[in-house]
Amino acid sequence: MRSFGGNGQRRAGRGRRGWRPGAALLAAAAAAVFMHGLSGAAAADEVLGQFRDWTAHTYMQDGAKMCSMYSRPLKDEGNYTRRGDIWGFVIHRPADNRIGEVSFAMGYPIKPDSPVIVEIGNQRFELFTDGEGAFARPEDDPKLVRAMRAGLEMVVRGVSTRGTATKDTYSLRGFTNASNAINRACDVN
């Protein structure tokens, strides 16, 4: 499994209650995706469904139920010879009062202090980065999810530590149904 950067420590000042999910949570979500893809649903996992281009599931982490949805880009562009796994996630962790957190595994170490940009229609969101992960700010999570629910396509742009610019195009077909599935599973309104 790939590491998504960082040391898994909670990072002060990055979000709700003083910290963001950071690389550890992104890596856990990616691990659940990886395990599901290789061996089917693990005992603690429940696949909620495949909704066109998005998959929804629940799993347990540190004794708490998590609900996650994820997708891969339909198209990834950039002048690179090798790139790791690329994923987009929306995660609920109700036990920690963290709902609708949007993140991306970019598949490469992101250039320090450079944002990842998400564009949906005429809306633009700037995400902060940590290692290979990009994360929406807590105040932007609900806006970004609303835009994803209403949109058809999402473009995610980033720059690697080597200076390579990338453009990943995700389909948002099925996003609303997958979002509804994780909302029901985690009792989120």
Side-chain angles (χ1 to χ4, degrees):
M1 188 184 91
R2 294 192 53 79
S3 166
F4 293 106
N7 60 9
Q9 298 294 316
R10 294 180 177 176
R11 298 178 58 88
R14 291 281 177 129
R16 296 176 189 88
R17 309 264 189 282
W19 65 283
R20 278 298 278 179
L25 185 56
L26 185 58
V33 169
F34 181 73
M35 286 177 11
H36 175 259
L38 285 183
S39 63
D45 288 354
E46 177 186 357
V47 176
L48 301 173
Q50 176 72 41
F51 303 93
R52 289 188 172 230
D53 295 317
W54 289 81
T55 302
H57 78 282
T58 64
Y59 57 100
M60 301 296 287
Q61 182 183 14
D62 299 328
K65 184 177 187 178
M66 300 201 35
C67 299
S68 176
M69 55 188 281
Y70 52 89
S71 185
R72 290 178 157 266
L74 296 179
K75 185 176 181 184
D76 56 284
E77 301 172 73
N79 187 22
Y80 49 85
T81 56
R82 192 174 44 152
R83 189 169 175 192
D85 293 331
I86 312 164
W87 295 96
F89 299 96
V90 177
I91 300 172
H92 295 330
R93 187 169 180 142
D96 293 333
N97 198 28
R98 293 174 21 220
I99 306 300
E101 293 181 328
V102 179
S103 59
F104 295 89
M106 297 299 289
Y108 56 78
I110 302 164
K111 182 178 177 181
D113 301 319
S114 72
V116 164
I117 304 299
V118 176
E119 298 168 331
I120 303 168
N122 63 357
Q123 297 182 70
R124 185 175 188 269
F125 301 89
E126 186 174 297
L127 281 60
F128 72 88
T129 61
D130 183 8
E132 292 188 14
F135 307 90
R137 288 175 173 73
E139 62 274 13
D140 288 337
D141 281 324
K143 297 174 203 169
L144 186 48
V145 169
R146 277 193 302 275
M148 293 166 88
R149 289 176 71 98
L152 296 175
E153 184 177 272
M154 170 174 65
V155 174
V156 180
R157 298 175 192 272
V159 178
S160 75
T161 54
R162 294 178 182 220
T164 304
T166 61
K167 176 183 173 184
D168 302 323
T169 305
Y170 288 81
S171 165
L172 295 172
R173 292 179 310 152
F175 183 92
T176 297
N177 289 336
S179 179
N180 290 341
I182 66 170
N183 289 351
R184 280 190 302 274
C186 272
D187 295 320
V188 172
N189 293 327

